[in-house]
Amino acid sequence: MECNIVNDLLPLYIDDCCSEESAELVKKHIESCKTCNALYKRMNSPADITSVIFAPKTIGKINDWKASVLQSVLLFVSFAIITVGVALEAATPSGLMNGYWAVSLVIPATGFLLSLANWYFIRLYKSRKRFSNCSLLATLSATVCAYVWTGFHYEMNLIELFAESNFIEFFDVMQGVLFLYGIGIMLTAISCILSKVLSNRYAKMLGKD
C-alpha cells in the first residue's frame, strides 16, 4: 500500500471508522514505514490545548466602587464640618469670637468641598500628577478667596488696626489675629495636603496613569 493512500486512511484508522481489512493494511504499513508511523503518532497524540483564562473584570468595577465611596465620604464629612461650623458661628455672640468658627472650620471645609467638584472632571486630565496638583490648587484658591471675602464681610481692616496701635498694642493685635486665623490657616494647610493625597488615590483607583 502506498504512503499517500495510508495518509488518506489515517484519520479513519485513528477514529476506528474504516473496515477491518483496511485497518489491518494500515496497521501493517505504519509498522514498516517510519514516515507514516511518525505521521500516525503526530495525528494520534492529544492536541495541545492551552486554556485561556480571562482576567475578571470585577477588579475594575470594585475600584470604581471604592472611588465612588471615597468621594461620597469626603463630601459627607465636608458638609458635616461646614454644618457644625455654621451652627457654632450662629451661636457665638458678637465680640472677639465673632467670625472665629467661620474662619476656623467653615472656610477650610468649604475650600476642600469645592475642590471635590474637580474630581468629576478627572477624565479631562492627561496624568494623575496634574490632576492631584490641580485639586490642591483648587482647594487653596477657594480657601484664599473665602478668607478675602470674610475680611470684607466682618469689616476687618488690619492696616488701620496696626497703624493705630503702639508697640505694645501691636503684639496684642497680632495675638488676636493669630487666635482668629491660626487654626483656620493650619486646617487650610492640612486640607490642601489631603486634597493632593486623596485626589491622587482617587485617580489611581480609576486607573489614571
Side-chain angles (χ1 to χ4, degrees), residues 145-189:
C145 290
Y147 275 126
V148 172
W149 175 87
T150 302
F152 286 106
H153 177 73
Y154 289 99
E155 298 179 353
M156 298 176 61
N157 194 332
L158 296 179
I159 297 178
E160 294 182 0
L161 191 62
F162 285 125
E164 295 175 357
S165 303
N166 56 36
F167 184 77
I168 297 176
E169 292 175 343
F170 174 81
F171 289 99
D172 292 335
V173 173
M174 283 296 298
Q175 184 178 0
V177 172
L178 290 176
F179 173 77
L180 184 63
Y181 284 97
I183 295 179
I185 293 173
M186 181 181 67
L187 290 179
T188 297

Side-chain angles (χ1 to χ4, degrees), residues 23 36 42 57 100-101 114 129 166 199:
C36 292
R42 288 199 303 271
K57 296 182 180 180
Y100 175 77
W101 295 110
L114 293 177
K129 182 178 180 181
N166 56 36
S199 61

Side-chain angles (χ1 to χ4, degrees), residues 42-205:
R42 288 199 303 271
M43 295 178 66
N44 197 36
S45 62
D48 295 331
I49 302 175
T50 304
S51 58
V52 179
I53 301 175
F54 294 97
K57 296 182 180 180
T58 54
I59 297 178
K61 292 182 179 179
I62 291 175
N63 287 336
D64 291 345
W65 178 80
K66 287 182 179 180
S68 178
V69 170
L70 175 62
Q71 187 177 22
S72 300
V73 169
L74 294 177
L75 286 169
F76 175 80
V77 172
S78 299
F79 272 120
I81 294 175
I82 292 172
T83 302
V84 171
V86 170
L88 291 173
E89 182 63 28
T92 302
S94 58
L96 182 62
M97 292 294 292
N98 188 31
Y100 175 77
W101 295 110
V103 298
S104 297
L105 287 181
V106 178
I107 290 179
T110 302
F112 185 82
L113 176 67
L114 293 177
S115 72
L116 292 177
N118 182 54
W119 291 23
Y120 291 101
F121 305 98
I122 184 174
R123 302 189 187 281
L124 299 179
Y125 293 90
K126 295 182 179 180
S127 65
R128 190 169 66 206
K129 182 178 180 181
R130 180 174 296 182
F131 170 71
S132 62
N133 288 337
C134 287
S135 295
L136 184 151
L137 290 175
T139 302
L140 181 61
S141 59
T143 305
V144 170
C145 290
Y147 275 126
V148 172
W149 175 87
T150 302
F152 286 106
H153 177 73
Y154 289 99
E155 298 179 353
M156 298 176 61
N157 194 332
L158 296 179
I159 297 178
E160 294 182 0
L161 191 62
F162 285 125
E164 295 175 357
S165 303
N166 56 36
F167 184 77
I168 297 176
E169 292 175 343
F170 174 81
F171 289 99
D172 292 335
V173 173
M174 283 296 298
Q175 184 178 0
V177 172
L178 290 176
F179 173 77
L180 184 63
Y181 284 97
I183 295 179
I185 293 173
M186 181 181 67
L187 290 179
T188 297
I190 294 174
S191 64
C192 288
I193 295 173
L194 287 176
S195 179
K196 180 176 178 61
V197 173
L198 294 176
S199 61
N200 184 72
R201 179 63 178 171
Y202 176 79
K204 187 176 181 180
M205 289 179 178

